[in-house]
Amino acid sequence: MSWSPPGPALLFCPADRPERFTKAAAGADVVIVDLEDGCHPQRRDTARQALAQTPLDAQRTIVRVNPATSPEHAADLDAVARAGYDVVMLAKAESPQQVSAIDAQVVALVETPMGALRAAEIAAAAGCVGMMWGAEDLVAGLGGGSSRFADGTYRDVARHVRSTVLLAAGAYGRFAVDAVHLDIADHAGLRAEAEDAVALGFAATACIHPSQVEVIRAAYAPTEEQVAWARRVLAAAEDTPGVFTLDGRMVDAPLFRQAQAIADRAGISRPPRTPTEGPPH
């Protein structure tokens, strides 16, 4: 069975700081142990050893490895295998071949112009279970200097790649992870981005500081009103075959699936069937 994140807050932790592993795991839904940008290049050998010496729950751990073109890549994958982890994040993924060559479940991190152009091919690759995107390497690869406007919102090219990665993930049944919010103190901006992410169908948002975890969890948690609506839809679906009307609104397959998604996030049990398709939305 393909791995998927057990919660919405994915926290990066430098692989060369093993003393932080346990604390990160206790606070976040998933720890991304980082052998790439978050790890000092001169400490990567020690960091690889730390993967096995400081074990974490494999179901709640991703190891970010260096790009397939990096001389560090093979050693990273070796260390991951020896430590018993089976979910890796491939930094700067640029082709389906790079993904399928890895003997693990892969979260493909799209953060270069080439990766963005090939997002759909990457999502379709054997072994790919999820997709993430990154703004800063993307813009640097274009020769730019900032992914955001002065008000903190993303520039158009970043928004385009975000949408492209989400669509590619959805088209091939992969989960999608939204990019990190680098302004650690800007909880309001992070909350707004995370709320937008969950509304669009992202499964999780990555973060770089423990203080951001609860902000993300709160944004992904359904409101009381959403939960009440989902409960009514699921209850009505048990008794009414096909398309039905609830609160003056037609409920067909798309709305039923939205209710299911809310129920999943709220931990509500739900019936397995879906109303027949109605008019498109």
Side-chain angles (χ1 to χ4, degrees):
M1 185 175 179
S2 294
W3 183 87
S4 61
L10 279 56
L11 177 63
F12 277 97
C13 183
D16 58 350
R17 300 298 301 271
E19 72 277 8
R20 296 183 182 178
F21 288 6
T22 302
K23 185 176 181 181
D29 298 311
V30 174
V31 178
I32 305 172
V33 181
D34 190 7
L35 283 166
E36 198 221 7
D37 287 346
C39 181
H40 194 287
Q42 294 181 356
R43 292 198 291 266
R44 286 201 176 114
D45 285 339
T46 303
R48 294 184 191 106
Q49 296 172 21
L51 289 181
Q53 294 169 350
T54 313
L56 298 174
D57 181 354
Q59 293 302 308
R60 297 180 53 241
T61 305
I62 300 170
V63 181
R64 177 161 75 166
V65 299
N66 281 278
T69 55
S70 166
E72 307 273 6
H73 182 72
D76 287 353
L77 293 179
D78 232 17
V80 170
R82 282 187 279 106
Y85 294 118
D86 56 9
V87 183
V88 303
M89 177 177 288
L90 177 60
K92 299 176 180 64
E94 293 192 324
S95 76
Q97 292 80 14
Q98 292 177 351
V99 172
S100 58
I102 296 174
D103 186 19
Q105 300 189 75
V106 179
V107 181
L109 178 49
V110 172
E111 52 184 340
T112 67
M114 184 60 73
L117 289 178
R118 293 177 173 168
E121 299 170 53
I122 292 168
C128 181
V129 295
M131 300 281 285
M132 182 177 160
W133 76 287
E136 304 315 315
D137 278 303
L138 171 73
V139 171
L142 293 169
S146 174
S147 68
R148 296 179 184 264
F149 292 110
D151 65 359
T153 58
Y154 280 120
R155 297 180 186 274
D156 289 349
V157 69
R159 291 173 60 86
H160 170 73
V161 173
R162 181 181 189 241
S163 299
T164 296
V165 168
L166 178 61
L167 287 167
Y172 290 97
R174 318 309 191 192
F175 64 82
V177 180
D178 204 12
V180 298
H181 192 82
L182 292 178
D183 188 345
I184 295 170
D186 181 22
H187 285 184
L190 172 60
R191 176 68 184 253
E193 282 182 11
E195 287 178 347
D196 182 64
V198 71
L200 288 173
F202 281 94
T205 293
C207 58
I208 57 172
H209 193 273
S211 67
Q212 297 178 314
V213 168
E214 289 305 324
V215 178
I216 292 169
R217 284 177 174 158
Y220 275 78
T223 65
E224 291 183 5
E225 292 78 9
Q226 288 175 321
V227 171
W229 174 79
R231 286 185 184 277
R232 292 200 305 275
V233 170
L234 298 180
E238 290 181 336
D239 302 322
T240 308
V243 179
F244 57 90
T245 300
L246 181 70
D247 299 335
R249 187 180 184 188
M250 183 184 73
V251 177
D252 60 359
L255 285 184
F256 185 82
R257 288 196 295 270
Q258 290 176 22
Q260 286 181 319
I262 292 170
D264 287 344
R265 286 191 283 122
I268 301 170
S269 60
R270 52 187 173 82
R273 68 181 189 83
T274 302
T276 54
E277 295 286 348
H281 286 249

